Amino acid sequence: MEPLEVLAKSKLSGKKTIAVMSAKGGVGKSLISALLSLAISSSNPTTLIDLDIHTMAVTKLFGLENKLHEVTKRGIEPFTIGNLGVISLGGVVKDKYVILSGSNNRSVMESLIAYSVINDVVVFDLPPGLGDEVLLLEHLTDFVPVVVTTPSKVSVKVVEYLVRYLTEKRKRPHLVVNMAYYDCEGGKKVRPFGDERAVNELVKKYGLEYTELPIDPLLEDYIGRIDKYDGVVKQKVIELARDLLKPRRDERS
Amino acid sequence: MHEWSVGEGILRSVIDWAKENNINSVKRVKVAIPSFTFLEADILKEAYDTLKKGTIAENSVLEISFKDPVFKCRNCGNIFTIREVINEVEKVKDEFGEEYPLHLMSGLAPAFIKCPKCGSNDIEVSSQEIMIKGVEVNGTP
């Protein structure tokens, strides 16, 4: 018997879990995880769990670097930002780099879930790729996948592996196309990656629901205080949060 | 304080197992804990004894043993014990205090323990997780 696994499963039991994931790195998963969890927390107590244990980008986005989680009888207490709790390995190891092999990755991710104090809605920020993090979450809970890509053809092609995998597992990923366009004056959309053909083909092929997020250069000014950001990307993510919280087709039937 | 979470994990595991096996009462639970976590046995027992009240494990005794994992370097093949790297572990404890990373997450061991021979972090740890080694139930000798 492994208490770690039992505890991790029990922590997620009966909770709404959303996994922000991508087969491709550098597409904005952590940023979207942060904005999405903030948006959801405005109506539901929410926990953001940073499973990207090697980069711990979430602590950088919220300005939580070098801060340690408090540990009480309840477990690892999240950092709190309003109604949002944030859990990251950064709150355990500070700025120490973490280099680990596969089975240890899994153990540490499972520990973050098992030993933390978690709210009713959980948003996971996953590392890029198709590895232990996906298998572990599948094992622990029935999560809603949010798959992130940019409109770049190479990104869309790589992300298709994950979409195909999730579809085969009878999950229905919601695709988020990050950095899809600039909102210019006069309501005109400019698409720096060219046309949307690659994304449209993926959406059609797998019957995906999807959300496009605009580019906002001002976002960079909010790294370290992402909870204060109130620009165009946030507005779109609020709409995404509403969609994700609605009962899904498979839940309704 | 982390001992309370560990105690909860042990108790939940025992209760789940007992339910699956139609067991009504548990007598003894034996757990093995990696020594480098430095979990406090007294606090873990206190947590278990508090949390078990009102459950089918209410009359059970928690028996704790500490195990010294064996480390194997995948880079040079060196096999070593905690005693050979205890200074590194003590340094981490000094830096972080009571709730130090290996206390909270035993899976972090290779991130903090380097091979004493070649300095690699590519370390394999035998039996690094907290495990329930056995459960005695009422009706067993």
Side-chain angles (χ1 to χ4, degrees):
Chain A
M1 274 183 274
E2 293 188 32
L4 187 60
E5 180 190 328
V6 172
L7 195 55
K9 274 189 177 167
S10 77
K11 285 286 174 82
L12 297 178
S13 174
K15 296 185 176 168
K16 173 95 179 175
T17 53
I18 296 168
V20 179
M21 58 211 305
S22 181
K24 187 86 174 68
V27 292
K29 289 178 298 299
S30 298
L31 181 71
I32 291 165
S33 301
L35 293 175
L36 181 62
S37 56
L38 282 164
I40 296 172
S41 74
S42 67
S43 55
N44 302 274
T46 304
T47 304
L48 170 59
I49 301 184
D50 179 7
L51 288 185
D52 196 348
I53 60 173
H54 299 290
T55 64
M56 301 170 268
V58 164
T59 56
K60 287 124 186 118
L61 287 166
F62 283 96
L64 298 168
E65 287 162 288
N66 285 317
K67 291 188 177 165
L68 285 174
H69 286 297
E70 190 188 347
V71 181
T72 67
K73 287 181 179 177
R74 304 192 317 154
I76 297 172
E77 297 285 351
F79 301 118
T80 52
I81 296 117
N83 224 4
L84 175 66
V86 177
I87 295 284
S88 173
L89 188 61
V92 175
V93 302
K94 293 197 282 191
D95 62 347
K96 171 86 175 71
Y97 61 80
V98 172
I99 180 159
L100 289 172
S101 63
S103 60
N104 286 74
N105 278 335
R106 186 175 173 123
S107 167
V108 170
M109 287 188 279
E110 200 163 37
S111 299
L112 273 178
I113 298 166
Y115 295 138
S116 296
V117 179
I118 294 176
N119 285 320
D120 289 342
V121 181
V122 187
V123 176
F124 289 103
D125 177 27
L126 267 64
L130 274 155
D132 281 317
E133 58 285 342
V134 180
L135 296 170
L136 174 66
L137 273 195
E138 265 188 82
H139 184 62
L140 296 179
T141 183
D142 183 17
F143 61 89
V144 175
V146 173
V147 174
V148 183
T149 184
T150 68
S152 157
K153 290 188 185 79
V154 70
S155 177
V156 174
K157 280 177 191 284
V158 171
V159 160
E160 185 176 354
Y161 292 126
L162 178 58
V163 170
R164 196 188 310 152
Y165 176 77
L166 292 167
T167 306
E168 283 177 15
K169 294 290 171 184
R170 298 184 182 281
K171 293 205 170 286
R172 296 180 48 251
H174 186 112
L175 188 72
V176 173
V177 185
N178 193 22
M179 297 181 273
Y181 60 89
Y182 274 115
D183 247 337
C184 295
E185 281 181 28
K188 192 183 173 195
K189 284 182 180 177
V190 174
R191 296 180 178 274
F193 286 88
D195 65 38
E196 312 138 83
R197 205 177 308 161
V199 169
N200 287 343
E201 282 173 9
L202 185 70
V203 164
K204 193 174 167 191
K205 186 172 175 184
Y206 293 92
L208 304 174
E209 291 176 24
Y210 78 110
T211 301
E212 287 188 322
L213 299 181
I215 296 168
D216 183 359
L218 293 177
L219 253 171
E220 271 301 295
D221 296 340
Y222 291 87
I223 305 305
R225 52 187 187 110
I226 197 65
D227 49 308
K228 303 288 188 293
Y229 173 71
D230 198 24
V232 285
V233 180
K234 178 181 171 179
Q235 300 313 316
K236 284 284 178 186
V237 172
I238 288 172
E239 291 169 26
L240 170 66
R242 267 189 224 122
D243 281 352
L244 293 173
L245 290 179
K246 280 182 202 160
R248 290 162 68 84
R249 266 183 281 168
D250 41 356
E251 290 171 350
R252 288 195 297 259
S253 59
Chain B
M1 282 295 183
H2 181 56
E3 287 82 357
W4 283 76
S5 291
V6 174
E8 186 188 347
I10 294 166
L11 186 64
R12 278 185 184 275
S13 302
V14 171
I15 292 170
D16 285 2
W17 174 85
K19 278 182 187 163
E20 281 167 21
N21 291 280
N22 298 316
I23 306 290
N24 296 322
S25 179
V26 177
K27 197 160 70 177
R28 188 178 306 276
V29 176
K30 296 176 183 177
V31 293
I33 293 173
S35 55
F36 61 76
T37 61
F38 291 96
L39 285 165
E40 295 275 352
D42 290 348
I43 302 175
L44 179 53
K45 277 188 179 170
E46 182 197 342
Y48 182 85
D49 288 342
T50 305
L51 296 167
K52 73 183 183 182
K53 286 173 188 160
T55 75
I56 52 177
E58 180 155 15
N59 297 317
S60 65
V61 174
L62 183 67
E63 204 174 283
I64 301 165
S65 62
F66 287 93
K67 52 185 179 179
D68 274 336
V70 175
F71 301 91
K72 184 182 177 186
C73 176
R74 280 191 279 228
N75 185 49
C76 72
N78 183 32
I79 293 172
F80 57 99
T81 64
I82 189 73
R83 281 183 293 281
E84 292 169 73
V85 287
I86 195 69
N87 288 342
E88 283 184 64
V89 175
E90 290 294 345
K91 262 190 242 169
V92 182
K93 279 178 76 183
D94 288 346
E95 183 186 348
F96 286 89
E98 186 190 346
E99 306 291 356
Y100 88 121
L102 304 188
H103 179 73
L104 295 174
M105 296 173 190
S106 54
L108 281 170
F112 288 90
I113 294 172
K114 290 178 183 157
C115 171
K117 193 173 164 192
C118 74
S120 172
N121 282 94
D122 194 2
I123 304 297
E124 201 177 292
V125 190
S126 70
S127 59
Q128 68 181 9
E129 303 295 350
I130 296 163
M131 296 289 289
I132 296 176
K133 306 298 282 184
V135 180
E136 284 177 28
V137 301
N138 285 319
T140 56

